[in-house]
Amino acid sequence: EIPIDEDQKSTRLLYKQPSVLVGRTDVVSVTPWLAPIVWEGTFDPVLVDNIYKPMNLTIATTVFAIGKYVRFLQDFLDTAEKHFMVGFNMRYYVFTDRPHDVPSVNLTRGRHLSVIQVPGSNRWQEISARRMEIIQTTIERQIRREADYIFCLDVDSKFHARWGPESLGRLVAVIHPGYYEQTRDRFPYERRPASTAYIPMDEGDYYYGGAMIGGFVEDVYTLTKVCQTRFEEDAGNSIEAAWQEESHLNRYLLYNKPSKVLSPEYLWQDFKAKTKEVKVIRFSGVIKNYADVRPN
Ligand code: 2GW
Ligand code: MN
């Protein structure tokens, strides 16, 4: 009997030979704990798609749109349909206090959106803490059964270029675009030892952005659980970390290293001019008029 070669079942994929000697030299593409740092030019998008597409994965995306932030949903969702995990099963979970203001978006095949009503609030502290809690309870109730990977994203953002399965991993974080050229003592980590988010001046890897956390559903579940517990412990001691859950996220990731790190291509800010290392902006925070969108 002739054994069937698993690798030859589908048509051959021709792609550029990987080089051992030539690659990007202007940026670091691996962390000291050997997690990839994903930059344009460090992966072959066709090859990556070819590896992940047959796995028939489902990706969950959570996004909060409380109060006036519903206005960001249209662009967020429209651009996600164009650029985010195209060709994959996608489940968007939109958390809002204004379900009637959620725009109707044309979703491509295999993609779904559910609106989950949550209480409104005027206090960022409350929204921020509740975000972690709601992600957790929704993972327990449904996401755990409905998806393989999860991304939790800020809604005041747009996709501009491919964000594909090169971003998948057990625990995935993104390097904040504002601080990647800084030394660790300049990072806006929480510096008061009284906070559970405390990081001493001589520690820290990167400054990670709070606008994206991702990974296996169970790993993100643990992260949100730990961060929320610490957030509440701080609140009990009347302390609020410098950058709220972003500070707790940074503390968590220092001691629980991400298995994949996304370059600032995956989290840019519209007010910031592109730098030479950034060949493509994939996702960025829009410029917002704080007086317009924030409750107080
Ligand atoms: C309410 C009062 C003050 C600030 C924000 C809000 C608010 C946030 C709101 O009224 N409605 C709402 O839906 N949000 C959600 O929280 C929304 O999804 C938004 O994208 C997310 C984070 O708030 P945002 O985008 O105004 O904060 P940024 O862009 O300054 O973000 C960074 O820092 C934050 C911590 O302070 C978070 O870690 C955030 O993830 C970071 O990107
Ligand atoms: Mn934001």
Side-chain angles (χ1 to χ4, degrees):
E1 202 181 330
I2 303 160
I4 296 167
D5 185 347
E6 276 292 315
D7 305 331
Q8 297 295 331
K9 276 202 301 204
S10 52
T11 41
R12 287 184 329 130
L13 180 72
L14 295 176
Y15 57 91
K16 198 167 151 259
Q17 179 189 350
S19 175
V20 177
L21 302 175
V22 180
R24 282 196 65 167
T25 52
D26 58 334
V27 290
V28 172
S29 57
V30 64
T31 70
W33 58 93
L34 298 177
I37 306 178
V38 185
W39 295 92
E40 177 74 358
T42 62
F43 63 93
D44 180 334
V46 175
L47 176 57
V48 169
D49 282 347
N50 229 264
I51 292 167
Y52 283 94
K53 290 237 170 104
M55 296 180 191
N56 194 27
L57 299 168
T58 298
I59 316 298
T61 298
T62 66
V63 66
F64 285 73
I66 311 285
K68 292 175 185 163
Y69 278 63
V70 289
R71 71 177 59 178
F72 297 115
L73 278 172
Q74 182 91 56
D75 281 350
F76 176 91
L77 293 167
D78 282 343
T79 60
E81 283 305 284
K82 285 204 189 83
H83 301 294
F84 189 40
M85 304 303 291
V86 172
F88 284 77
N89 304 311
M90 171 64 73
R91 291 187 164 273
Y92 297 103
Y93 301 84
V94 175
F95 301 97
T96 184
D97 57 334
R98 300 184 184 184
H100 299 293
D101 294 340
V102 175
S104 66
V105 177
N106 286 323
L107 300 173
T108 53
R109 211 176 131 260
R111 299 171 76 104
H112 300 269
L113 184 150
S114 25
V115 178
I116 299 172
Q117 185 156 8
V118 296
S121 171
N122 287 332
R123 296 180 56 248
W124 164 241
Q125 293 86 332
E126 213 170 288
I127 295 174
S128 178
R130 223 190 268 142
R131 193 153 67 140
M132 291 285 189
E133 186 192 320
I134 291 169
I135 292 170
Q136 259 176 78
T137 53
T138 312
I139 289 176
E140 285 169 10
R141 282 199 202 123
Q142 51 185 130
I143 300 177
R144 191 172 262 170
R145 286 179 284 110
E146 295 174 348
D148 303 290
Y149 290 92
I150 184 171
F151 288 97
C152 307
L153 302 171
D154 263 22
V155 74
D156 59 335
S157 347
K158 286 187 208 176
F159 294 84
H160 303 278
R162 173 200 169 94
W163 177 327
E166 69 280 2
S167 63
L168 296 176
R170 183 182 52 78
L171 185 61
V172 184
V174 65
I175 296 174
H176 194 294
Y179 304 94
Y180 68 89
E181 291 155 310
Q182 304 276 339
T183 53
R184 49 162 65 133
D185 58 305
R186 310 277 295 265
F187 292 163
Y189 291 150
E190 173 53 56
R191 301 298 189 179
R192 295 164 297 176
S195 169
T196 57
Y198 171 62
I199 298 178
M201 288 294 182
D202 56 355
E203 289 186 52
D205 300 311
Y206 311 103
Y207 190 76
Y208 301 106
M212 193 293 300
I213 44 179
F216 280 155
V217 173
E218 290 312 315
D219 290 80
V220 172
Y221 178 72
T222 306
L223 178 152
T224 57
K225 211 175 171 114
V226 170
C227 288
Q228 193 220 335
T229 306
R230 293 182 180 161
F231 195 104
E232 280 170 5
E233 193 183 327
D234 275 12
N237 296 320
S238 309
I239 189 158
E240 184 190 312
W243 289 100
Q244 299 83 37
E245 79 306 22
E246 188 171 83
S247 305
H248 289 279
L249 174 71
N250 273 278
R251 161 74 187 236
Y252 183 87
L253 293 169
L254 174 57
Y255 301 111
N256 303 270
K257 304 290 194 211
S259 63
K260 190 170 274 186
V261 174
L262 305 183
S263 73
E265 295 167 1
Y266 293 79
L267 179 62
W268 202 249
Q269 287 169 319
D270 282 353
F271 63 75
K272 201 177 150 67
K274 199 154 92 160
T275 54
K276 62 180 185 319
E277 317 63 52
V278 174
K279 308 291 180 208
V280 48
I281 295 172
R282 304 174 191 279
F283 183 71
S284 76
V286 302
I287 296 169
K288 55 188 187 291
N289 179 346
Y290 289 90
D292 263 14
V293 295
R294 289 195 174 167
N296 295 309

